[in-house]
C-alpha cells in the first residue's frame, strides 16, 4: 500500500483505542438497541482511527509510471582520462536500459555544477567534461542542483540521482544534502570510480611543531604515500630557500616517513615547503606539502633567591643553551600570573614560604596550573617543609 507515516510510533495507539471502545461496548448498560450500540461503536472507531492516522502523519504516495534520473558526474581535475572513459561507458550502458517513458539528465560539476541536459532532453554521454573551474570538488552543490532539476521537471515521476565520482571532496559537505533528498523522495545512488594509478606517489602530510623556541632543534616530518616500491627525492625549503641537500629515499608500499632536523636562530613566523620527485609518478599536483612554525624568542627563567650570587652557576650554564636568567628577591617576584607569562620556568632557591605574599603564591599557582609554566625548587635550610611550605 503506498502509505507513509512521518510519526509512525503513534500508530501504537490504534490497538489500545480499539480495545478501550470494545470494552466499553461490552460493558455498557445504556438502554439502546443492539443495532444502535453497534453503530455507535463503528462511528467511534472511525473517528479515533482518523485522529490517530492524522497524529501519525499519514501520507498517500502516488507513484508514477515513469522514472526521472539525473546523473551527477565529477569533472574535477582529480578525474583521470581512464576514469572519464569509464564514466562515459557507464552512461551509454545506462541510457540503453532506460524505457521510453523514462527521462534522463546530466549535471557535471567541479567547483560549480553545470546542467548539461535536464530530464527529458536528449543526453550526450560524451559531454561529461566540466566547463568550469576544476581545481575544487563540491559534491554538495551538485546534489542540490540535481534535486532542483528533478523537482521542477519531473514532479509526477519516480526520482533518482546517480553520483559518479572518485569521492575526493574538498569543498562543501555532501552528507548535508542527503536529508533534503530523502524528504523529496529522491533516491541517491553512488558509483565510486576507482583510480588506476599503480605507481602513484604523493605527500600525505607535512608535520611541523606549531611553536618552537629560538635555536631549539625540531623535526620536520614528511609522510609520503606510495603505491609501489620505488625511489624518490624529497627536498625541503624554508620561505622559498633550500634547507640542505635533497634526500634520496627508497619508498616501500604504503606510508613512509622522512625526517629533516631543523633549528631557527631568529624569531618570527616561517613557512616550510616539501617537494617530492619520483620518476614513476603520475600526478605532480599532489607532490607538495606545507607547514608553518612560529619561533619564539630566547627561553627565560626567573630565579628567586635571597642572594644574587647563587644564580651565577645556573646563569652561565643556561646562557650556553640560549636561555636567559632573570634574578629577583622574594619581595620583588611578580604578584600576577600575567606578569609571569614572559618566563618559561620559575626557580625558587632556599626561600621561606613566609617571604611570599598571598598574591605572589596565587600568581605562581595559576601560572603553573593553568598556563604550563615550569616550576623548580632548590633545597636548603629554608626550603620544602623546613621553609614553612607544609600544608
Amino acid at each position: 500500500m503506498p502509505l507513509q507515516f512521518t510519526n509512525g510510533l503513534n500508530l501504537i495507539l490504534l490497538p489500545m483505542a480499539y480495545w478501550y471502545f470494545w470494552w466499553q461496548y461490552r460493558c455498557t448498560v445504556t438502554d439502546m438497541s443492539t443495532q444502535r450500540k453497534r453503530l455507535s461503536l463503528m462511528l467511534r472507531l472511525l473517528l479515533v482511527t482518523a485522529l490517530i492516522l492524522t497524529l501519525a502523519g499519514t501520507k498517500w504516495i502516488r507513484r508514477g509510471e515513469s522514472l526521472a534520473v539525473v546523473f551527477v558526474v565529477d569533472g574535477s581535475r582529480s578525474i583521470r582520462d581512464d576514469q572519464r572513459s569509464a564514466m562515459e561507458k557507464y552512461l551509454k550502458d545506462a541510457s540503453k536500459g532506460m524505457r521510453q517513458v523514462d527521462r534522463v539528465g546530466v549535471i557535471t560539476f567541479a567547483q560549480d555544477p553545470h546542467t548539461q541536459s535536464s530530464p527529458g532532453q536528449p543526453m550526450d554521454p560524451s559531454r561529461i567534461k566540466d566547463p568550469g573551474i576544476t581545481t575544487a570538488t563540491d559534491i554538495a552543490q551538485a546534489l542540490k542542483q540535481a534535486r532542483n532539476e528533478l523537482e521542477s521537471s519531473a514532479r509526477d515521476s519516480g526520482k533518482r540521482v546517480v553520483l559518479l565520482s572518485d569521492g575526493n571532496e574538498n569543498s562543501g559537505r555532501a552528507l548535508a544534502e542527503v536529508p533534503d533528498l530523502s524528504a523529496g523522495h529522491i533516491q541517491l545512488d553512488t558509483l565510486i570510480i576507482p583510480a588506476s594509478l599503480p605507481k602513484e606517489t604523493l605527500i600525505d602530510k607535512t608535520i611541523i611543531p606549531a611553536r618552537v623556541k629560538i635555536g631549539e632543534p625540531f623535526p620536520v616530518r614528511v609522510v609520503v604515500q606510495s603505491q609501489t616500491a620505488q625511489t624518490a627525492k624529497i627536498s625541503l625549503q624554508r620561505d622559498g630557500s633550500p634547507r640542505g641537500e635533497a634526500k634520496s629515499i627508497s619508498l616501500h608500499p604504503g606510508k613512509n616517513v622522512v625526517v629533516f632536523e631543523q633549528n631557527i636562530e631568529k624569531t618570527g613566523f616561517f613557512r616550510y615547503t616539501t617537494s617530492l620527485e619520483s620518476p614513476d609518478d603520475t600526478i605532480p599536483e599532489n607532490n607538495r606539502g606545507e607547514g608553518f612554525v612560529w619561533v619564539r624568542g630566547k627561553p627565560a627563567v626567573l630565579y628567586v633567591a635571597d642572594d644574587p650570587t647563587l644564580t651565577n652557576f645556573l646563569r652561565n650554564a643556561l646562557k650556553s643553551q640560549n636561555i636567559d636568567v632573570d634574578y629577583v628577591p622574594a619581595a620583588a617576584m611578580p604578584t600576577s600570573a600575567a606578569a609571569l607569562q614572559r618566563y618559561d620556568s620559575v626557580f625558587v632557591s632556599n626561600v621561606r614560604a613566609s617571604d611570599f605574599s598571598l598574591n605572589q603564591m596565587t600568581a605562581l599557582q595559576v601560572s603553573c596550573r593553568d598556563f604550563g609554566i615550569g616550576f623548580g625548587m632548590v633545597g636548603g635550610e629554608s626550603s620544602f617543609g623546613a621553609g614553612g611550605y607544609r600544608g
Side-chain angles (χ1 to χ4, degrees):
M1 179 178 287
L3 289 178
Q4 286 189 354
F5 305 96
T6 56
N7 299 299
L9 286 177
N10 290 331
L11 293 175
I12 199 173
L13 298 174
L14 274 176
M16 298 169 60
Y18 288 168
W19 179 87
Y20 173 74
F21 286 113
W22 173 255
W23 175 79
Q24 273 199 334
Y25 167 76
R26 297 286 296 177
C27 299
T28 182
V29 293
T30 30
D31 187 14
M32 295 173 61
S33 65
T34 303
Q35 290 79 6
R36 292 187 63 185
K37 286 197 291 184
R38 288 179 180 175
L39 179 61
S40 174
L41 173 64
M42 293 298 297
L43 289 175
R44 289 180 179 181
L45 292 180
L46 286 174
L47 288 174
V48 76
T49 300
L51 177 61
I52 293 176
L53 289 178
T54 302
L55 292 175
T58 308
K59 294 182 180 180
W60 181 275
I61 305 300
R62 185 180 65 180
R63 302 194 183 278
E65 294 295 330
S66 63
L67 177 66
V69 181
V70 173
F71 292 99
V72 180
V73 182
D74 192 341
S76 61
R77 185 182 294 181
S78 63
I79 298 296
R80 296 172 51 80
D81 292 338
D82 57 331
Q83 294 174 299
R84 189 169 287 108
S85 298
M87 291 191 291
E88 184 176 337
K89 182 179 183 302
Y90 179 86
L91 291 180
K92 289 179 180 178
D93 294 340
S95 62
K96 293 177 183 178
M98 304 295 289
R99 302 170 300 171
Q100 290 186 350
V101 294
D102 297 334
R103 290 175 285 176
V104 181
V106 176
I107 293 176
T108 60
F109 72 95
Q111 178 172 299
D112 301 301
H114 299 88
T115 301
Q116 304 296 341
S117 60
S118 296
Q121 297 178 346
M123 182 185 72
D124 184 1
S126 62
R127 291 184 57 189
I128 58 174
K129 190 171 183 180
D130 192 76
I133 300 173
T134 60
T135 54
T137 303
D138 194 338
I139 299 176
Q141 289 297 325
L143 294 179
K144 184 180 296 184
Q145 183 152 326
R147 174 168 56 87
N148 294 334
E149 287 282 348
L150 289 171
E151 290 177 347
S152 61
S153 60
R155 295 181 179 178
D156 297 329
S157 302
K159 304 176 183 65
R160 177 176 295 177
V161 173
V162 180
L163 173 65
L164 289 80
S165 173
D166 58 1
N168 293 327
E169 179 184 42
N170 58 14
S171 180
R173 187 168 175 267
L175 289 177
E177 296 300 318
V178 174
D180 290 336
L181 292 173
S182 299
H185 308 292
I186 301 173
Q187 181 176 339
L188 174 63
D189 295 328
T190 58
L191 177 65
I192 303 300
I193 307 299
S196 56
L197 302 174
K199 297 184 178 181
E200 174 65 9
T201 59
L202 58 92
I203 292 181
D204 188 19
K205 62 181 74 173
T206 301
I207 305 173
I208 304 175
R211 295 185 298 177
V212 298
K213 296 166 185 173
I214 189 170
E216 176 187 1
F218 64 92
V220 176
R221 295 184 174 89
V222 186
V223 181
V224 179
Q225 186 86 24
S226 178
Q227 296 289 94
T228 60
Q230 55 184 304
T231 59
K233 280 188 176 182
I234 298 182
S235 57
L236 180 69
Q237 292 184 334
R238 188 181 74 199
D239 292 337
S241 301
R243 301 300 301 171
E245 296 291 331
K247 289 189 176 184
S248 297
I249 58 172
S250 296
L251 300 174
H252 58 78
K255 290 187 177 181
N256 304 260
V257 180
V258 183
V259 180
F260 293 87
E261 293 293 339
Q262 294 289 298
N263 65 346
I264 302 177
E265 300 296 337
K266 56 183 177 181
T267 61
F269 196 72
F270 300 90
R271 181 182 68 179
Y272 277 93
T273 305
T274 55
S275 301
L276 173 68
E277 296 179 17
S278 175
D280 297 326
D281 189 47
T282 51
I283 302 178
E285 287 84 2
N286 56 21
N287 293 347
R288 289 174 60 86
E290 283 191 347
F292 301 89
V293 61
W294 175 42
V295 182
R296 301 168 57 188
K298 286 185 178 182
V301 172
L302 180 64
Y303 202 106
V304 184
D306 288 335
D307 186 355
T309 59
L310 297 175
T311 67
N312 290 337
F313 298 104
L314 181 64
R315 188 191 300 266
N316 294 333
L318 294 181
K319 277 189 174 181
S320 66
Q321 301 297 319
N322 287 316
I323 300 176
D324 289 334
V325 179
D326 290 343
Y327 162 78
V328 293
M333 194 182 81
T335 57
S336 67
L340 288 173
Q341 292 307 295
R342 62 181 298 263
Y343 297 104
D344 296 277
S345 294
V346 177
F347 281 93
V348 176
S349 177
N350 203 30
V351 179
R352 297 183 62 84
S354 58
D355 292 341
F356 293 115
S357 67
L358 179 60
N359 289 338
Q360 288 174 317
M361 284 286 200
T362 303
L364 190 56
Q365 180 193 37
V366 171
S367 298
C368 297
R369 182 191 63 199
D370 299 337
F371 299 106
I373 291 179
F375 175 76
M377 178 179 281
V378 181
E381 67 276 5
S382 297
S383 293
F384 305 115
Y389 291 95
R390 182 176 179 181

